[in-house]
Amino acid sequence: MLLGVNIDHIAVLREARRIGDPDPLDALGICKRAGADQITIHLREDRRHIQDSDAQNIIALSPLPVNLECATESSMIDIACRLRPHRVTLVPEKRQEVTTEGGLDVIGGYDKIQKTIAKLHDNDIEVSLFIDPKESIVVASRELGVEWIEFHTGRYANLYAMLYGNLSKTNHTLVEFELPRHTLKEMIKTELHTIEQQSAQAKTMGLQVAAGHGLNMQNVKAICAIGAIEELNIGQSIIARSIFTGLEQAIREMKAILDK
Ligand code: PXP
């Protein structure tokens, strides 16, 4: 299983003080040494963490392929075409969200996404769509001719956190909080089954399948067991653990679980 390390959270810490430290650029060599397969960054329209100069330097200097996440907006796509990362993952963006809260509306935004993909392909950039695990969305993604899809595992991760108790109720307004444990367990099973089914279907259609969001050393194991998924993009839990173990060790630990 390939591991993309999302290093946005290093820039989150830096932006908390608006000084030059820590610099996400310093993570590149460590990620490679630790066995990561890809660097993932999200250049948000509001520039809340990764800045244009970060994206430029990371893409120019990374010893690993860079997966640039961005919104389907012409200003962002122009930047991507200029910087030419290995891959662009198109993600939905809402200004007020704490993090990317759902998959891309591939059906509603079909025409705009189609034009965006054409532009990225013209610049020799492979394209991934960050989507919810739903058949109609997988089919539409296939029609759009992208190389990759990435399933949003946020719902699974939230349910898992509710069951095992590390999700802050004050920061989330999910109705599932009120549900009994056995119901949560059933919902997790159903969500995993859906991700598994949709991954298998996408692979059969010729798409390469990635997944990510909210994955950590515990909940990632069930996702790793899904054979059709080739790559996981993980940020928050790795960077959080690195505070105590160092980044290299945190990545090695995650990679060891993915390679089991
Ligand atoms: N994949 C995509 C497309 C994302 O937007 C994010 C979050 O930026 C991640 C993976 C990583 O999520 P997390 O930081 O929760 O591991």
Side-chain angles (χ1 to χ4, degrees), residues 20-55:
D21 192 30
D23 187 341
L25 205 57
D26 291 335
L28 303 180
I30 299 171
C31 290
K32 179 160 169 66
R33 213 163 51 233
D37 301 286
Q38 169 172 272
I39 301 293
T40 294
I41 52 172
H42 185 174
L43 184 65
R44 291 187 66 103
E45 287 185 278
D46 61 14
R47 307 298 198 272
R48 71 169 69 151
H49 39 57
I50 293 289
Q51 305 297 309
D52 295 64
S53 56
D54 294 322

Side-chain angles (χ1 to χ4, degrees), residues 22-195:
D23 187 341
L25 205 57
D26 291 335
L28 303 180
I30 299 171
C31 290
K32 179 160 169 66
R33 213 163 51 233
D37 301 286
Q38 169 172 272
I39 301 293
T40 294
I41 52 172
H42 185 174
L43 184 65
R44 291 187 66 103
E45 287 185 278
D46 61 14
R47 307 298 198 272
R48 71 169 69 151
H49 39 57
I50 293 289
Q51 305 297 309
D52 295 64
S53 56
D54 294 322
Q56 184 169 342
N57 292 334
I58 289 166
I59 292 166
L61 299 171
S62 175
L64 294 169
V66 177
N67 170 28
L68 176 69
E69 300 171 355
C70 67
T72 316
E73 292 303 329
S74 58
S75 59
M76 304 309 301
I77 301 307
D78 287 347
I79 293 172
C81 290
R82 188 164 45 77
L83 299 181
R84 288 182 172 236
H86 180 74
R87 185 192 309 167
V88 162
T89 298
L90 297 175
V91 300
E93 251 180 52
K94 293 188 217 123
R95 292 254 159 178
Q96 302 309 322
E97 68 191 358
V98 177
T99 181
T100 314
E101 282 165 2
L104 199 61
D105 180 8
V106 173
I107 294 166
Y110 194 94
D111 292 346
K112 189 175 176 184
I113 293 170
Q114 191 170 40
K115 285 189 191 114
T116 303
I117 293 167
K119 196 164 176 193
L120 291 165
H121 279 167
D122 283 348
N123 283 275
D124 291 327
I125 301 168
E126 68 176 28
V127 183
S128 180
L129 303 176
F130 191 40
I131 60 172
D132 292 322
K134 203 169 164 203
E135 185 169 1
S136 56
I137 303 178
V138 173
V139 170
S141 301
R142 174 69 193 90
E143 278 172 17
L144 281 162
V146 288
E147 290 80 7
W148 286 85
I149 53 166
E150 178 174 343
F151 283 124
H152 195 307
T153 50
R155 179 173 159 74
Y156 160 70
N158 279 339
L159 290 167
Y160 192 100
M162 279 182 243
L163 182 63
Y164 295 104
N166 64 347
L167 192 65
S168 160
K169 282 194 189 188
T170 51
N171 287 337
H172 295 268
T173 50
L174 302 164
V175 287
E176 289 92 340
F177 266 125
E178 310 308 327
L179 296 173
R181 290 182 66 79
H182 69 270
T183 309
L184 280 172
K185 274 191 186 161
E186 279 309 309
M187 290 171 82
I188 290 171
K189 238 175 148 176
T190 306
E191 188 65 18
L192 280 171
H193 183 64
T194 304
I195 295 170

